[in-house]
Amino acid sequence: MNKKSPIGIFDSGYGGLTVFDEVQKALPEYDYLYFGDNARAPYGNRSFDVVYEYTLEAVQFLFDQGCPLVVLACNTASAKALRTIQQNNLPKLDPEKRVLGVIRPSTEEIGFLSKTRHVGILGTTGTIQSESYVIELKKFAPDVLVSQHACPMWVPLIENEKYQHPAGIQFIEEDVNELLKKDPLIDTIILACTHYPVVAEKIQQIAGKDIKVVSQGPIVADKLKQYLKAHPEMEEKLSKNALREFYSSESTIVFNEKAERFLGYPVTSIHHSF
Ligand code: DGL
C-alpha cells in the first residue's frame, strides 16, 4: 500500500511516547504519526471543556494527516474527551475512522493483576476527579477496591526534567505514600498517566518490592494488537512502511532532544500549532 495511512498517537506532551514506544515494538510494520501538544501541556488541571476542545483539535489534525485510527495515549484526554468525540464528533467528522483511549484497555486488565483485590490509581487531577477508573473498574473487576490519588506536580516535573531533583523526589515520595496510606492492602499500583513510567523505578523503590507498579504501554500495545485482529476492515486501511513521524506544537528542537531520550533513537519532528 503506497498511500500514507498511519496510526495516530496523541498526548498532551511527551508521556504518550511511553505508549507509542511499546506499540511500535509490538506492531513495528505499521506507520505512525505522533502528535504532542507540548505548547499546551499539561492538560491535567484543565477543565473538561478545554481538554475536550484541545483533544478534538488534535484528533482532527491527525485525521487530516490521513490517520484512519487515533489512539489517545493520554489518560486525561481519554477521561475527559474520548466519549464525547466518539459519540458526537466522529459520526460527523468521519464515521469510518476510530479513536481509542487508554483507560478501557487498562481497566480490562487490572482485575488479572491484583491478588489482594486492593488497587491504587495514580493520575492527574483531571483523571482522578473524572472517576473514570472507578467507573470502568466496576464493570470489569467489581470485586476490586480502588483507591485513587492525584499527583498534579508530576507531569510538570517530567515535562521539565526535574523529577530527579531533590524537590521532585520529595513530591513523588509524598504522593506514593499518600496513596498507600489510603489502603495498606494495595498490591498493585496503576500508573494512570502516560508520563509516569518515566518515574516508575522511583515509585517501585518507594512502594517496595511486594507492590506491582504497572505501566500502561505494554497493556495498550497488546490490546491494540487484539483490536486490529478483530477489525480487519481497519487493519487493511493502515499503511505498513514502518514510517515514524512526529509533530509537536512547541519547539521542534526541544521535542527532538527529549523524544530521543524517551525512545533511544534520533527524532526529527515537525511543528504544528493551532
Ligand atoms: N500523559 C497525560 C495523561 O496520561 C498527561 C496529562 C497532562 O498533560 O497533565 O494523563
Side-chain angles (χ1 to χ4, degrees):
M1 186 189 287
N2 290 327
K3 197 173 146 280
K4 199 182 75 176
S5 315
I7 297 174
I9 311 258
F10 167 68
D11 181 45
S12 62
Y14 299 105
L17 291 171
T18 65
V19 172
F20 165 66
D21 196 27
E22 297 294 337
V23 168
Q24 65 162 5
K25 281 182 197 152
L27 298 159
E29 68 275 31
Y30 294 92
D31 296 340
Y32 293 94
L33 201 160
Y34 184 92
F35 175 60
D37 193 9
N38 302 83
R40 304 192 291 194
Y43 281 12
N45 296 331
R46 294 188 187 276
S47 69
F48 263 85
D49 287 351
V50 170
V51 173
Y52 164 66
E53 183 195 321
Y54 289 179
T55 306
L56 182 59
E57 280 177 347
V59 167
Q60 178 72 70
F61 168 67
L62 290 166
F63 283 174
D64 291 346
Q65 301 308 303
C67 301
L69 173 67
V70 170
V71 178
L72 303 183
C74 175
N75 288 267
T76 311
S78 299
K80 293 187 162 185
L82 178 61
R83 190 176 293 257
T84 316
I85 290 176
Q86 284 173 333
Q87 291 178 352
N88 297 354
N89 302 103
L90 214 46
K92 287 175 225 145
L93 286 174
D94 189 337
E96 301 289 301
K97 299 202 178 201
R98 288 290 172 268
V99 183
L100 306 174
V102 287
I103 296 179
R104 170 85 184 257
S106 307
T107 49
E108 280 176 356
E109 280 311 295
I110 291 171
F112 298 111
L113 303 174
S114 170
K115 287 202 170 70
T116 61
R117 318 309 285 158
H118 291 247
V119 167
I121 309 286
L122 293 172
T124 65
T125 304
T127 299
I128 299 303
Q129 280 178 351
S130 75
E131 298 261 316
S132 298
Y133 275 84
V134 179
I135 295 163
E136 288 295 308
L137 271 168
K138 273 209 184 101
K139 295 183 206 155
F140 301 114
D143 63 320
V144 163
L145 192 77
V146 189
S147 301
Q148 308 194 94
H149 180 70
C151 313
M153 290 305 291
W154 291 18
V155 171
L157 285 171
I158 293 164
E159 286 275 316
N160 296 298
E161 296 189 75
K162 292 283 184 229
Y163 55 90
Q164 282 163 326
H165 190 277
I169 293 173
Q170 199 184 330
F171 275 112
I172 299 170
E173 274 171 354
E174 269 177 26
D175 284 322
V176 173
N177 288 326
E178 281 295 319
L179 174 72
L180 295 176
K181 244 197 276 166
K182 289 185 179 172
D183 180 358
L185 293 180
I186 287 172
D187 71 345
T188 307
I189 295 178
I190 310 300
L191 304 185
C193 170
T194 55
H195 281 70
Y196 297 178
V198 174
V199 291
E201 230 173 88
K202 188 80 218 156
I203 299 167
Q204 186 70 70
Q205 219 181 323
I206 301 161
K209 61 175 178 23
D210 295 334
I211 294 182
K212 250 185 247 139
V213 175
V214 181
S215 298
Q216 297 172 299
I219 298 174
V220 174
D222 192 49
K223 295 283 178 183
L224 185 60
K225 219 176 185 175
Q226 290 175 27
Y227 176 86
L228 294 179
K229 255 197 202 132
H231 293 89
E233 76 293 350
M234 174 56 73
E235 202 284 331
E236 281 156 17
K237 278 187 211 158
L238 299 169
S239 52
K240 299 174 193 73
N241 308 298
L243 297 174
R244 276 91 177 105
E245 270 188 283
F246 299 88
Y247 285 80
S248 170
S249 56
E250 246 297 341
S251 149
T252 53
I253 297 165
V254 178
F255 185 91
N256 296 348
E257 267 176 35
K258 292 200 186 175
E260 182 169 344
R261 257 174 268 155
F262 270 85
L263 298 171
Y265 58 80
V267 165
T268 307
S269 60
I270 301 165
H271 181 77
H272 175 78
S273 55
F274 300 102

